[in-house]
Amino acid sequence: MGSGWSSEEERQPLLGPGHGPVAGGAWRSREAAAVLPEAVRGPGPVYGRRWLVLLLFSLLGFAQGLVWNTWGPIQNSARQAYGFSSWDIALLVLWGPIGFLPCFAFMWLLDKRGLRVTVLLTSFLMVLGTGLRCIPVSDLMLKRRLIHGGQLLNGLAGPTVMNAAPFLSTTWFSADERATATAIASMLSYLGGACAFLVGPLVVPAPNGTSPLLTSESSRAHIKDLIETVLYAEFGVVCLLFSATLAYFPPRPPLPPSVAAASQRLSYRRSFCRLLSNLRFLMIALAYAIPLGVFAGWSGVLDLILTPVHVSQVDAGWIGFWSIVGGCVVGIAIARFQMLAWCQPDFSGQTTPPMCPGAPVPQNPTH
């Protein structure tokens, strides 16, 4: 928040001073040499296309969240259509967190190969995952296995769409826009999961015993056809986003928008080791990960939890939708408020922090 609301120690960089080799170093060193004098005097150049890049990345996150949360909101219908058990429903939700296990490999790829290659690989995994779920087979056991495999492939896309937002915002956005861009790119994934709470229950009817629908409308074949309609629609959306990403998703702007974007980074191994030895970073990571893990696990099986107390799929969907949408709206608002509060001079009369527009820039920067 504002510089007067935190101690000097809290404002120190987690990794401390130091630079190391990085992929794309030629771009950073060459463009930094040309831009850094200007960046020291003021903000670097920004490009209007940054919003298109942010939109594409955010929509990929939206689609990944939508696909991840396909089955939880319609678990009663999925049981009747495909013979899923409670364990199957829980595992379909769990494939998302399991997909995070190789997250460091994706972050290494992002660091070494850049945004375009990583995002293309991520979107391709989503295409494969959603495509597997649509393969028409009559054997229910094989169909269930294909659905589980598709959910796992979609889960492997999670590390990029949920973790690469700060990298994207640093690469494309100026310092005063970075927090907002990061919040938008991060929250859209959760918004996709929220929309799954509406799409599934509103399109797919619940089976008999959980909804006062006519028997003909709630038959197994009818439910299965509507579930497959949802699967095909999600597959089409993911294919469209993959095509758009393949057609246009530049790895970086022609010139870096800020000193941070132009600076060289620590090597992947060195930065990873230093972060793991930093107690403050570990405390922040735990404070973020524990509540997020509990909430994600709870929301993914919300309908499964509420069914014993006679809450319908549609009502459970609306509960899940508004709980996530509220968090997304507040998260983006807080990100913008954080930047506005940071850019206000504190009560001691100090000047505006250097990352904000109109702030004086130090003559001898150390980082």
Side-chain angles (χ1 to χ4, degrees), residues 162-216:
M162 299 188 71
N163 294 341
F167 187 90
L168 182 144
S169 62
T170 301
T171 302
W172 281 92
F173 288 83
S174 60
D176 59 310
E177 297 174 333
R178 204 173 295 155
T180 304
T182 300
I184 293 173
S186 301
M187 292 297 104
L188 261 291
S189 177
Y190 298 100
L191 187 60
C195 287
F197 279 112
L198 294 187
V199 173
L202 293 180
V203 174
V204 180
N208 291 330
T210 62
S211 178
L213 296 176
L214 297 178
T215 303
S216 59

Side-chain angles (χ1 to χ4, degrees), residues 24-37 252-256 262 264:
W27 169 72
R28 293 183 182 278
S29 59
R30 182 176 66 252
E31 263 69 2
V35 177
L36 209 50
R252 54 182 178 263
L255 295 175
Q264 290 187 336

Side-chain angles (χ1 to χ4, degrees), residues 4-285:
W5 299 357
S6 58
S7 66
E8 182 66 27
E9 180 182 1
E10 291 174 323
R11 296 195 297 272
Q12 295 302 315
L14 285 175
L15 291 179
H19 302 282
V22 65
W27 169 72
R28 293 183 182 278
S29 59
R30 182 176 66 252
E31 263 69 2
V35 177
L36 209 50
E38 292 295 330
V40 171
R41 291 193 293 269
V46 292
Y47 301 86
R49 72 190 78 169
R50 70 191 186 279
W51 297 110
L52 177 59
V53 173
L54 178 64
L55 176 64
L56 284 176
F57 183 86
S58 300
L59 289 178
L60 279 174
F62 179 91
Q64 198 272 341
L66 181 69
V67 173
W68 166 74
N69 200 29
T70 298
W71 300 100
I74 57 171
Q75 58 94 19
N76 283 310
S77 302
R79 286 168 180 266
Q80 179 159 330
Y82 298 107
F84 282 131
S85 64
S86 297
W87 167 249
D88 285 315
I89 300 299
L91 186 58
L92 287 170
V93 175
L94 190 60
W95 286 128
I98 291 175
F100 264 80
L101 293 179
C103 63
F104 296 111
F106 283 91
M107 295 305 100
W108 175 87
L109 183 66
L110 182 68
D111 195 49
K112 296 299 181 182
R113 298 300 182 184
L115 272 172
R116 177 174 172 81
V117 172
T118 308
V119 172
L120 280 176
L121 175 61
T122 296
S123 56
F124 182 67
L125 289 173
M126 293 171 59
V127 170
L128 289 180
T130 53
L132 276 181
R133 305 185 311 168
C134 296
I135 296 178
V137 293
S138 57
D139 187 345
L140 287 183
M141 177 62 70
L142 179 57
K143 183 67 174 180
R144 289 197 297 268
R145 291 178 178 177
L146 290 174
I147 291 173
H148 279 287
Q151 291 300 118
L152 174 59
L153 289 174
N154 183 75
L156 291 174
T160 300
V161 300
M162 299 188 71
N163 294 341
F167 187 90
L168 182 144
S169 62
T170 301
T171 302
W172 281 92
F173 288 83
S174 60
D176 59 310
E177 297 174 333
R178 204 173 295 155
T180 304
T182 300
I184 293 173
S186 301
M187 292 297 104
L188 261 291
S189 177
Y190 298 100
L191 187 60
C195 287
F197 279 112
L198 294 187
V199 173
L202 293 180
V203 174
V204 180
N208 291 330
T210 62
S211 178
L213 296 176
L214 297 178
T215 303
S216 59
E217 296 178 338
S218 302
S219 65
R220 179 175 179 174
H222 182 66
I223 291 175
K224 186 178 178 181
D225 288 342
L226 291 177
I227 290 178
E228 290 180 351
T229 299
V230 173
L231 298 184
Y232 282 120
E234 291 178 349
F235 177 60
V237 169
V238 171
C239 287
L240 181 62
L241 291 175
F242 173 72
S243 301
T245 304
L246 185 63
Y248 183 79
F249 195 94
R252 54 182 178 263
L255 295 175
S258 64
V259 175
S263 301
Q264 290 187 336
R265 301 177 185 273
L266 294 172
S267 66
Y268 183 82
R269 180 182 301 177
R270 184 182 177 191
S271 59
F272 181 72
C273 294
R274 292 184 68 177
L275 280 176
L276 288 183
S277 63
N278 190 299
L279 181 60
R280 288 189 296 159
F281 168 77
L282 295 177
M283 292 175 64
I284 293 172

